[in-house]
């Protein structure tokens, strides 16, 4: 995928446009993602230079760890972004994108921490914690 994509929060106070390729969707089952979303995260990512955000004043950032912060709409509460403190990209929740997205699942991370009320049976690779190519907080 190498074209532009648009998306927004539920109320439309935060809108964005991306340029360039989007990573496949990573499903994160860690306890932080589950507690914030009520299930698990499904996100792609974009270099900072390739995303334009309109309505940034409506984003509240929560520093969940010293490694990363999580952005959500302060009006409607939509989960928006996961942003590492020291990297030049932002993860964007896949459900925010307007259709068609062209996105496809890539893998599941932190499956050792997943909820006990669901199974993962989509055939995608599963990792107990993470993979070397996906930066996450140290435990």
């Amino acid at each position: 995928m190498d074209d532009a994509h648009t998306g927004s929060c539920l109320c439309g106070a935060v809108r964005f446009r991306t340029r360039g390729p989007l990573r496949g969707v990573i499903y994160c089952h860690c306890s932080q993602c589950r507690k914030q979303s009520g299930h698990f995260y499904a996100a792609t990512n974009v270099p900072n230079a390739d995303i334009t955000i309109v309505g940034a004043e409506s984003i509240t950032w929560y520093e969940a760890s010293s490694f990363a912060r999580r952005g959500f709409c302060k009006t409607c509460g939509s989960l928006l972004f996961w942003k590492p403190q020291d990297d030049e990209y932002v993860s964007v929740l896949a459900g925010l994108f307007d259709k068609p997205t062209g996105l496809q699942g890539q893998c599941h991370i932190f499956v050792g921490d997943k909820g006990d009320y669901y199974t993962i049976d989509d055939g995608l690779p599963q990792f107990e914690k993470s993979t070397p190519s996906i930066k996450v907080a140290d435990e």
Side-chain angles (χ1 to χ4, degrees):
M1 298 180 5
D2 57 5
D3 49 346
H5 289 63
T6 60
S8 70
C9 64
L10 181 62
C11 72
V14 179
R15 294 205 51 81
F16 61 88
R17 180 178 182 83
T18 65
R19 297 167 298 284
L22 298 173
R23 181 197 68 200
V25 175
I26 303 296
Y27 303 101
C28 183
H29 302 268
C30 78
S31 62
Q32 284 189 1
C33 286
R34 287 187 303 104
K35 287 182 181 284
Q36 186 185 33
S37 70
H39 196 37
F40 57 84
Y41 257 37
T44 184
N45 72 13
V46 181
N48 291 345
D50 292 342
I51 187 168
T52 303
I53 299 171
V54 175
E57 67 279 0
S58 293
I59 300 172
T60 295
W61 290 96
Y62 173 68
E63 197 166 305
S65 70
S66 61
F67 182 80
R69 56 193 179 132
R70 296 162 181 269
F72 59 93
C73 176
K74 67 181 176 184
T75 303
C76 67
S78 292
L79 308 180
L80 303 169
F81 308 116
W82 182 88
K83 175 81 177 111
Q85 302 289 14
D86 298 325
D87 279 313
E88 294 301 314
Y89 72 89
V90 60
S91 289
V92 181
L93 279 283
L96 300 172
F97 285 93
D98 300 323
K99 291 181 183 178
T101 67
L103 290 168
Q104 294 185 352
Q106 182 174 321
C107 68
H108 295 267
I109 61 174
F110 289 95
V111 297
D113 204 20
K114 78 171 203 58
D116 61 0
Y117 58 90
Y118 63 93
T119 58
I120 303 170
D121 56 5
D122 58 12
L124 293 174
Q126 297 181 29
F127 299 92
E128 183 74 14
K129 293 198 183 258
S130 190
T131 71
S133 64
I134 302 170
K135 295 180 183 178
V136 296
D138 292 330
E139 292 193 2

